[in-house]
Amino acid sequence: MAVTFTLLKECSVTGARAGILHTPHGDIPTPVFMPVGTQATVKAMSPEELKEIGAGIILSNTYHLYLRPGHELIHEAGGLHRFMNWDRAILTDSGGFQVFSLGALRKIEEKGVTFRSHLDGSEHFLSPEKAVEIQEALGSDIAMVLDECAPYPAERSYIEDSLARTTRWAERCLQAHKSSKQALFGIVQGGMYADLRKESALQLVALDFPGYGIGGLSVGEPAELMYDMLDETLPLLPTNKPRYLMGVGTADYIIESVKRGIDMFDCVLPTRIARNGTIMTRDGYLTVRNAPYARDFNPLEEGCNCYACRNYTRAYVRHLIKANEIFGLRLTTYHNLFVLVHFMARIRESILNGTFPELYEDFIARFGQQKEEK
Amino acid sequence: MAVTFTLLKECSVTGARAGILHTPHGDIPTPVFMPVGTQATVKAMSPEELKEIGAGIILSNTYHLYLRPGHELIHEAGGLHRFMNWDRAILTDSGGFQVFSLGALRKIEEKGVTFRSHLDGSEHFLSPEKAVEIQEALGSDIAMVLDECAPYPAERSYIEDSLARTTRWAERCLQAHKSSKQALFGIVQGGMYADLRKESALQLVALDFPGYGIGGLSVGEPAELMYDMLDETLPLLPTNKPRYLMGVGTADYIIESVKRGIDMFDCVLPTRIARNGTIMTRDGYLTVRNAPYARDFNPLEEGCNCYACRNYTRAYVRHLIKANEIFGLRLTTYHNLFVLVHFMARIRESILNGTFPELYEDFIARFGQQKEEK
């Protein structure tokens, strides 16, 4: 099989797991955070920098690449890895999330979704088969089934219909999927209804995917509700398959989800807030573009060993960001990805050596305190 | 002295010279192109990338840094080198060029120039003494006197007055300059009037600067007129001092000016056109963002050994630039600076081994031909 998972250790107190995701482009220690490279590039970063940071797998977007430059062009270029000069692993989403986000610009039917491009308004059609075809052309290591990421809040009847269709689409994706080098993951949906989440999980497990995404969470619901949904769903998934919580990437959500048994994460937030001048620290967030940092000649984060922190001050980074200089975004992006990737490494280490519960307690006591500091 | 110049070789046929500029932050082989780091960063680049490209000296802007983040702040940070993490040489301009470019927003008097900030409209005053003070606070290796870069075309009477004031300002800068670690260069002006250019050169030489800028050229005049002005001026400057043609940085202007005896160049063009998706090649220019390159899987420039050309295709770079991705600008900027820095190295090599005239002839026959190719 193209992608397999080795479960190395389970926490004896919580649901946390440490493992290895084996892909055609390398083994990835889990739990893992995947930086997002929407348009065949992780914004502001080079592949060499991503490697230096320690990223082993990135996510790229079917919807964006299909529209521009087009999946055929990328296929012609030798596939996405070669096109973007990234020889480690790539997971592609199905495009479903972006298409459903288009709101009035898309129409859902059983056969698929008709939508208009956000770039030029041109009309397109995305079906489960097409989503698979595009991802096979891109040549990612892990592809995702086409699903509907339902809005929150949503009526039970809406979620019931959506979920049933999502399962039928998952079957069609599985049918259409031909590549032996690429793994196709299913996606658990079900809105905020515990019984529907369970139903979705059981239906997908019956289809025997090599891995499972959990979609439709962190869409505006209270954090506790998201954790409840994970608590209901994860015990139903096979322990020997990786579980990927889609679109989640803040430290607090990550540690709570790892605790419940999630292995993989992705999120645009770390790179997006970086470009707005906000950095992530072990303890929270710090908006370095704010005035108090104008004459602050300390590194972005005291004690951080990343390239940005070893060489530059908050004052310099703030200056660059105020002056709209690209290098400022490079430094904040580098730092934020470094912080998250190393956070995952510390979490993994603690699971392996049996101290995850202590790391978790320490995190909960610390995180968010820094906000009040300045 | 802080900055000295060793003349290694003069071309036996043309005026071309090869030398070494000795600075407190390293020896710089000349002729040299200085990438422009307007706001304490060469746009899109890291210091490590600039070193990898082979840049030994960069230029930064007094006007911009004075307004934001302020020269006192940079001084507090330990000076410009430390602030921006650049341990090689820096030349700062005097701010004169930017201030005079403000047009209606500035007023020239004998004591100095009153101007309004392009950022917030606030009023400021720049005098020869202030320009020196700012540059000393920044701690650049080479500072420039405050001069007036006169417009083109301009009446003779205007240039006469402007030139006389520029010489008086040069004397005041020299009086005000205290730093022993920093060299202060004079600037030859005189518009497009050969006798005024000569007068300016002689007046400045009498003041015995450690180096001479040639200002007020490449401001819209025909290229031949610029070359005439160089032909009139350069023989009057001492051969043992470096000559810096300000604001010039296209390959054709560079080689024509080297031929006449120029040692130093700077220009925003290579980095600016890079951000618009145009690359420089040995033979001219190529706008990689144009449609014909959409499926072109060749490197930016065939035979180029730079990071961008070794790892990426025109198709990928075009995609990034069309999609407004920062990494695209990083790649085109890297390539353009690499091309210019290596062009200077080839020119220097040819001067040293006595083949500059052949290199010049070859360049003239080739350059600009590529434009017709696509």
Side-chain angles (χ1 to χ4, degrees):
Chain A
M1 198 180 290
V3 171
T4 55
F5 180 70
T6 305
L7 182 61
L8 292 177
K9 179 96 181 249
E10 290 177 288
C11 176
S12 58
V13 181
T14 71
R17 306 137 46 92
I20 302 171
L21 187 66
H22 307 278
T23 80
H25 289 88
D27 286 354
I28 296 126
T30 64
V32 65
F33 173 77
M34 304 181 283
V36 179
T38 306
Q39 303 190 106
T41 172
V42 174
K43 287 192 194 301
M45 293 290 96
S46 72
E48 290 74 17
E49 286 160 346
L50 292 171
K51 288 181 182 180
E52 203 177 82
I53 285 166
I57 177 168
I58 61 170
L59 179 143
S60 201
N61 288 85
T62 287
Y63 169 81
H64 290 281
L65 297 180
Y66 159 75
L67 289 180
R68 182 174 61 190
H71 57 292
E72 294 99 341
L73 188 152
I74 292 177
H75 187 66
E76 238 178 273
L80 185 54
H81 290 86
R82 191 157 160 203
F83 186 58
M84 67 184 291
N85 187 34
W86 175 252
D87 57 10
R88 296 190 180 176
I90 301 177
L91 179 149
T92 44
D93 66 10
S94 67
F97 180 78
Q98 281 76 25
V99 168
F100 284 100
S101 304
L102 291 172
L105 291 176
R106 49 83 179 161
K107 192 177 132 209
I108 315 171
E109 293 166 293
E110 184 61 28
K111 59 178 180 170
V113 197
T114 306
F115 66 94
R116 289 193 177 279
S117 159
H118 74 288
L119 295 174
D120 61 7
S122 56
E123 194 172 284
H124 300 269
F125 177 68
L126 187 66
S127 63
E129 293 77 14
K130 184 80 186 177
V132 165
E133 180 198 323
I134 297 169
Q135 293 179 88
E136 287 190 331
L138 296 174
S140 52
D141 299 275
I142 301 175
M144 302 300 295
V145 297
L146 184 66
D147 64 330
E148 180 185 357
C149 179
Y152 173 81
E155 292 295 329
R156 184 179 171 89
S157 60
Y158 181 93
I159 298 293
E160 281 173 350
D161 290 350
S162 163
L163 175 59
R165 189 172 47 234
T166 283
T167 301
R168 289 191 297 271
W169 282 4
E171 291 186 51
R172 283 168 57 188
C173 284
L174 213 46
Q175 282 290 323
H177 191 252
K178 290 175 203 77
S179 169
S180 58
K181 284 197 221 151
Q182 181 185 63
L184 177 71
F185 280 18
I187 303 178
V188 177
Q189 289 286 353
M192 303 303 160
Y193 301 94
D195 59 327
L196 298 182
R197 285 266 161 198
K198 286 184 188 175
E199 187 181 315
S200 173
L202 292 174
Q203 287 171 349
L204 290 169
V205 170
L207 293 173
D208 194 25
F209 284 97
Y212 296 89
I214 319 283
L217 293 179
S218 192
V219 289
E221 79 280 10
E224 285 307 323
L225 193 48
M226 175 172 99
Y227 302 146
D228 285 350
M229 292 302 117
L230 292 179
D231 287 335
E232 297 287 346
T233 313
L234 293 179
L236 302 178
L237 297 178
T239 56
N240 63 339
K241 302 284 178 72
R243 299 98 172 252
Y244 158 34
L245 181 55
M246 303 178 78
V248 168
T250 59
D252 45 352
Y253 280 24
I254 284 176
I255 203 164
E256 291 287 357
S257 306
V258 163
K259 188 182 160 210
R260 289 163 170 85
I262 293 289
D263 308 301
M264 302 165 69
F265 300 89
D266 83 284
C267 193
V268 295
L269 185 124
T271 41
R272 182 171 290 163
I273 64 175
R275 296 194 305 282
N276 289 325
T278 296
I279 61 149
M280 301 175 102
T281 68
R282 283 178 173 227
D283 301 333
Y285 301 93
L286 186 147
T287 300
V288 72
R289 75 172 290 141
N290 285 349
Y293 305 109
R295 299 185 116 82
D296 187 333
F297 301 117
N298 293 302
L300 289 176
E301 179 178 9
E302 205 62 62
C304 174
N305 196 35
C306 85
Y307 166 74
C309 290
R310 279 187 284 110
N311 297 294
Y312 303 91
T313 61
R314 290 172 176 172
Y316 181 63
V317 174
R318 175 180 189 266
H319 160 65
L320 293 180
I321 286 174
K322 295 289 285 182
N324 293 316
E325 284 289 356
I326 287 171
F327 193 48
L329 315 183
R330 288 180 56 177
L331 292 174
T332 52
T333 301
Y334 191 104
H335 173 80
N336 284 1
L337 290 177
F338 186 94
V339 166
L340 262 191
V341 166
H342 286 252
F343 179 55
M344 301 313 291
R346 283 205 310 282
I347 287 178
R348 186 169 193 271
E349 184 61 26
S350 77
I351 298 170
L352 288 173
N353 67 25
T355 59
F356 176 75
E358 288 85 336
L359 181 131
Y360 172 82
E361 289 305 332
D362 176 61
F363 176 88
I364 296 302
R366 258 190 313 115
F367 196 75
Q369 299 310 308
Q370 191 178 27
K371 280 178 204 164
E372 275 100 292
E373 210 177 81
K374 287 251 174 187
Chain B
M1 195 180 290
V3 171
T4 55
F5 180 70
T6 305
L7 182 62
L8 292 179
K9 179 94 181 255
E10 291 177 287
C11 176
S12 58
V13 182
T14 71
R17 307 138 45 93
I20 300 170
L21 186 68
H22 307 278
T23 80
H25 289 89
D27 286 354
I28 296 125
T30 64
V32 65
F33 173 77
M34 305 182 284
V36 179
T38 306
Q39 303 190 107
T41 172
V42 173
K43 289 193 193 302
M45 292 288 96
S46 72
E48 290 74 18
E49 286 160 346
L50 292 171
K51 289 181 181 178
E52 202 177 82
I53 285 165
I57 177 168
I58 60 171
L59 178 142
S60 201
N61 289 84
T62 288
Y63 168 82
H64 289 281
L65 297 180
Y66 159 75
L67 289 179
R68 183 175 60 190
H71 57 293
E72 294 99 341
L73 187 153
I74 292 177
H75 187 66
E76 237 178 274
L80 184 54
H81 290 87
R82 190 157 159 202
F83 186 57
M84 67 184 290
N85 186 34
W86 175 251
D87 57 10
R88 296 191 179 176
I90 301 177
L91 179 149
T92 45
D93 66 10
S94 67
F97 180 78
Q98 281 76 25
V99 168
F100 285 99
S101 305
L102 291 172
L105 291 175
R106 48 84 178 162
K107 192 178 132 208
I108 315 171
E109 293 167 292
E110 184 61 28
K111 60 177 181 174
V113 198
T114 306
F115 67 94
R116 289 194 176 278
S117 159
H118 75 287
L119 295 175
D120 61 6
S122 56
E123 194 172 283
H124 300 269
F125 177 68
L126 187 67
S127 64
E129 292 77 14
K130 184 80 186 177
V132 165
E133 179 197 323
I134 296 169
Q135 292 178 87
E136 286 188 331
L138 295 174
S140 52
D141 298 274
I142 302 175
M144 302 301 295
V145 299
L146 184 66
D147 63 331
E148 180 185 356
C149 179
Y152 173 80
E155 291 296 329
R156 184 178 172 90
S157 60
Y158 180 93
I159 298 293
E160 280 172 349
D161 291 351
S162 163
L163 175 58
R165 188 172 49 233
T166 283
T167 300
R168 290 192 297 272
W169 283 4
E171 291 185 51
R172 282 169 57 189
C173 284
L174 213 46
Q175 282 290 324
H177 191 251
K178 291 177 203 77
S179 168
S180 58
K181 285 198 222 149
Q182 182 185 63
L184 177 71
F185 281 18
I187 303 178
V188 176
Q189 290 286 353
M192 304 303 160
Y193 301 94
D195 59 326
L196 298 181
R197 284 267 161 196
K198 285 183 188 177
E199 188 183 314
S200 173
L202 293 174
Q203 288 172 349
L204 290 168
V205 170
L207 294 173
D208 194 26
F209 285 97
Y212 296 90
I214 320 283
L217 293 180
S218 192
V219 290
E221 78 281 9
E224 286 308 322
L225 192 48
M226 174 172 101
Y227 303 147
D228 286 351
M229 293 302 115
L230 293 179
D231 287 333
E232 298 287 346
T233 314
L234 293 178
L236 302 178
L237 298 177
T239 56
N240 64 340
K241 302 283 177 72
R243 300 99 171 250
Y244 158 33
L245 181 54
M246 303 178 77
V248 168
T250 58
D252 46 352
Y253 280 22
I254 284 176
I255 203 164
E256 291 287 356
S257 305
V258 163
K259 188 183 159 209
R260 288 163 170 85
I262 293 289
D263 308 301
M264 302 164 69
F265 300 88
D266 82 282
C267 192
V268 295
L269 186 124
T271 40
R272 183 171 290 164
I273 64 175
R275 297 195 304 282
N276 290 323
T278 296
I279 61 147
M280 301 175 102
T281 68
R282 284 180 171 225
D283 301 333
Y285 302 93
L286 187 146
T287 301
V288 71
R289 76 172 289 141
N290 285 348
Y293 305 108
R295 300 185 114 84
D296 187 334
F297 302 117
N298 293 301
L300 289 176
E301 180 179 10
E302 204 62 61
C304 174
N305 196 34
C306 85
Y307 166 74
C309 289
R310 278 188 284 109
N311 297 294
Y312 303 92
T313 61
R314 290 172 175 171
Y316 181 62
V317 174
R318 175 179 189 266
H319 160 65
L320 293 180
I321 286 175
K322 295 288 286 183
N324 294 315
E325 284 288 355
I326 287 170
F327 193 49
L329 314 183
R330 289 180 56 176
L331 293 175
T332 52
T333 300
Y334 190 104
H335 173 81
N336 284 2
L337 290 177
F338 185 94
V339 166
L340 263 191
V341 166
H342 287 252
F343 179 56
M344 301 313 292
R346 283 205 311 282
I347 288 178
R348 186 170 193 271
E349 184 62 25
S350 77
I351 298 170
L352 288 174
N353 68 24
T355 60
F356 176 74
E358 288 85 337
L359 181 131
Y360 172 81
E361 290 304 331
D362 176 61
F363 176 87
I364 296 302
R366 257 190 316 114
F367 197 76
Q369 299 309 307
Q370 192 178 25
K371 282 177 202 165
E372 276 99 294
E373 208 178 82
K374 286 254 174 185

